Amino acid sequence: MTSATLSPARLFIVEDDADHLAALCDLLDAAGHVPQGFSSATEALAALDTATPALILTDLRMPGMDGMAFLRAVKALPERDLPVIMLTGHGDVVHAVEAIRAGAEDFLEKPYDAAHLVMVIARALAARATRAEVARLQGALAGDGPEILGESRPIRALRDRIAALAPLDIDVVITGETGTGKELVARALHDGSPRARGPYVAVNCAALPDSMVETLMFGHAEGAFPGAGPARPGKLEAAQGGTLILDEVEALAPPAQAKLLRALQERSVERLGEVTARALDLRVIAISKTDLRAAAQAGSFRPDLFYRLAGAEIATPPLRETGEDIALIFSHYAQLAARRYGRPDPEPGWAFRRELLRRGWPGNMRELKAAAEAFALGLLDLRADDTPALPDTTLADRVAAFEAREIAAALDRFRGNTLRVADHLGLPRRTLNDKMRRYGLGG
């Protein structure tokens, strides 16, 4: 991500050298940001009482309050996420390490490359935006009602589809792979509808015993069959005034499909053992992990029932199509699990996040959530998968495996910054890029 891909950000620049301060402000203004310069840390700290920048860039060595004291003062401010990037002299590497431990986002040694500085700022702003989004997701889930997590194009399209259909009193078919949040979509449709105050009745059609489907779904009169007992309404009546969810609707046997079709056509139901029709006022949402339209065309599901159910259709996207949402949601669930078990917030590294995006996630959100919880407990480590499986039989193979691991570790340490990785490993940039391609370590 470059600065061009982010909204213009307000930046505080703290530098006691007037010429250097002016040059920094000009550079960052040209990069599309809104810099505000300060000649002392005390002046910048006072300005934080009335303004909140997106990022602070400060020199380390300054008269009066130096960069380290300023950093600690900034980090002590309550409920602020202010990334701080430190500028250090050549002999200040020890202090730079101390700054990172004290909470600095990054540091650069003088003299620095202007393009590199702009890139470091863009990366820090992107990291701040990710933290803010994780916090938003956690806040949303802490409230009432369902929340469709993510900001990728497929997820935004899904939310738009839900928002468009929820107020309409029409039946809906939801299809998608296992673990893609079909039940969450159904709940969101109900909660956003005029029926939100009515009952929400969910039926797992695959779990209904064949011998009990009719009575459980449609109810029965007193003494309708041996052992029937008093009259009881079925699930359709139980959803009166609200929403009936038919999960795994494709599992309904043909006789039950036929009776359900009649009930939906007439919006009435006859209990087993009765001849009186009872009026139904409900919305039906059918959920299927199979392509219900294809099943209807193939004859394995009644076509007339499908078209009765499918007043509208929603397809939930698989996790593998949501891109960067994968790492974002993984971090969200990992943090929730860590706090639940009293462990420190986990911090997936660059190489780890890249591996998350590589995986197919056939179990979708359920698999991702389980992996995130295992990671929070220290039971999941993808580092072994950060490098390709190399035959460990010859010296050359073992050297290559070691080299790939070292490059992956450096990429993780420097957050994918190949310029700093090349410098750290003592490699020409082109050689590093060639090795990354050879070992499958590209971003």
Side-chain angles (χ1 to χ4, degrees):
M1 184 177 291
T2 66
S3 59
T5 64
L6 295 168
S7 301
R10 184 178 188 179
L11 310 178
F12 275 14
I13 316 300
V14 187
E15 169 62 69
D16 62 306
D17 184 313
D19 291 338
H20 190 199
L21 178 61
L24 280 171
C25 288
D26 288 345
L27 169 65
L28 297 175
D29 179 70
H33 297 301
V34 183
Q36 183 174 353
F38 300 91
S39 59
S40 73
T42 304
E43 183 184 351
L45 193 60
L48 290 174
D49 290 338
T50 57
T52 301
L55 179 143
I56 298 172
L57 178 67
T58 181
D59 195 11
L60 173 61
R61 293 187 178 275
M62 296 181 290
M65 178 182 283
D66 66 7
M68 283 300 303
F70 179 52
L71 170 64
R72 293 191 180 98
V74 169
K75 291 303 174 182
L77 295 174
E79 299 182 3
R80 299 271 193 111
D81 181 12
L82 295 177
V84 177
I85 296 175
M86 194 79 71
L87 297 177
T88 69
H90 180 68
D92 291 327
V93 175
V94 172
H95 293 292
V97 172
E98 182 184 356
I100 293 295
R101 290 173 177 168
E105 191 79 17
D106 212 332
F107 70 91
L108 287 87
E109 285 189 68
K110 299 177 183 178
Y112 49 81
D113 178 74
H116 184 210
L117 171 62
V118 172
M119 183 183 65
V120 168
I121 289 174
R123 189 171 62 235
L125 291 172
R128 180 177 186 261
T130 297
R131 291 193 296 270
E133 178 61 12
V134 169
R136 186 195 72 80
L137 295 180
Q138 292 173 349
L141 286 192
D144 296 329
E147 177 75 9
I148 310 299
L149 304 181
E151 292 300 328
S152 63
R153 182 175 295 179
I155 294 298
R156 291 200 304 270
L158 177 62
R159 282 200 292 262
D160 290 345
R161 182 74 168 157
I162 292 169
L165 294 179
L168 306 180
D169 200 24
I170 58 174
D171 297 339
V172 179
V173 167
I174 304 172
T175 57
E177 297 177 10
T178 298
T180 53
K182 298 184 293 296
E183 298 88 346
L184 198 62
V185 172
R187 172 58 83 170
L189 287 170
H190 171 77
D191 288 351
S193 76
R195 298 179 178 274
R197 294 184 180 275
Y200 179 88
V201 179
V203 181
N204 186 338
C205 299
L208 295 174
D210 290 343
S211 60
M212 298 291 289
V213 170
E214 191 169 351
T215 182
L216 291 173
M217 287 291 294
F218 306 105
H220 64 81
E222 184 176 358
F225 53 88
R232 290 189 61 179
K235 296 295 186 180
L236 274 75
E237 285 185 76
Q240 192 78 290
T243 306
L244 176 68
I245 309 300
L246 298 176
D247 195 7
E248 297 190 74
V249 67
E250 72 278 5
L252 281 178
Q257 290 185 31
K259 190 162 184 177
L260 177 62
L261 172 62
R262 181 182 176 188
L264 296 182
Q265 284 176 332
E266 300 178 3
R267 265 341 193 230
S268 65
V269 63
E270 292 181 9
R271 294 180 182 178
L272 187 63
E274 286 187 351
V275 293
T276 304
R278 300 170 184 268
L280 291 175
D281 175 23
L282 78 168
R283 182 188 203 177
V284 180
I285 298 177
I287 297 175
S288 177
K289 62 179 179 292
T290 65
D291 185 338
L292 210 56
R293 179 181 291 274
Q297 293 171 349
S300 57
F301 190 83
R302 286 188 67 116
D304 46 3
L305 177 57
F306 168 75
Y307 290 113
R308 173 61 59 178
L309 291 169
E313 297 177 65
I314 294 179
T316 53
L319 191 61
R320 60 183 174 275
E321 293 180 2
T322 62
E324 293 293 336
D325 280 350
I326 295 172
L328 181 70
I329 297 171
F330 183 93
S331 295
H332 162 70
Y333 281 124
Q335 287 186 16
L336 289 184
R339 293 167 189 175
R340 186 165 63 248
Y341 295 112
R343 298 176 67 92
D345 280 355
E347 297 182 3
W350 179 86
F352 191 101
R353 291 194 299 273
R354 180 177 48 77
E355 182 62 27
L356 289 176
L357 301 183
R358 278 181 174 180
R359 295 197 163 202
W361 302 106
N364 293 293
M365 198 67 75
R366 291 176 187 168
E367 182 184 358
L368 182 75
K369 185 176 181 180
E373 292 182 348
F375 177 73
L377 294 173
L379 303 176
L380 177 71
D381 188 353
L382 299 185
R383 286 178 298 178
D385 296 326
D386 284 344
T387 56
L390 298 172
D392 196 19
T393 55
T394 68
L395 178 60
D397 291 331
R398 290 195 291 273
V399 169
F402 172 79
E403 188 174 58
R405 282 195 299 271
E406 287 298 302
I407 294 173
L411 286 165
D412 194 359
R413 175 180 175 183
F414 295 110
R415 304 175 187 178
N417 184 338
T418 54
L419 183 64
R420 296 184 70 187
V421 170
D423 182 64
H424 172 72
L425 296 176
L427 293 173
R429 188 84 171 275
R430 179 173 296 180
T431 301
L432 173 64
N433 290 334
D434 289 342
K435 290 180 181 294
M436 288 175 62
R437 281 192 294 270
R438 184 189 316 161
Y439 300 132
L441 297 172

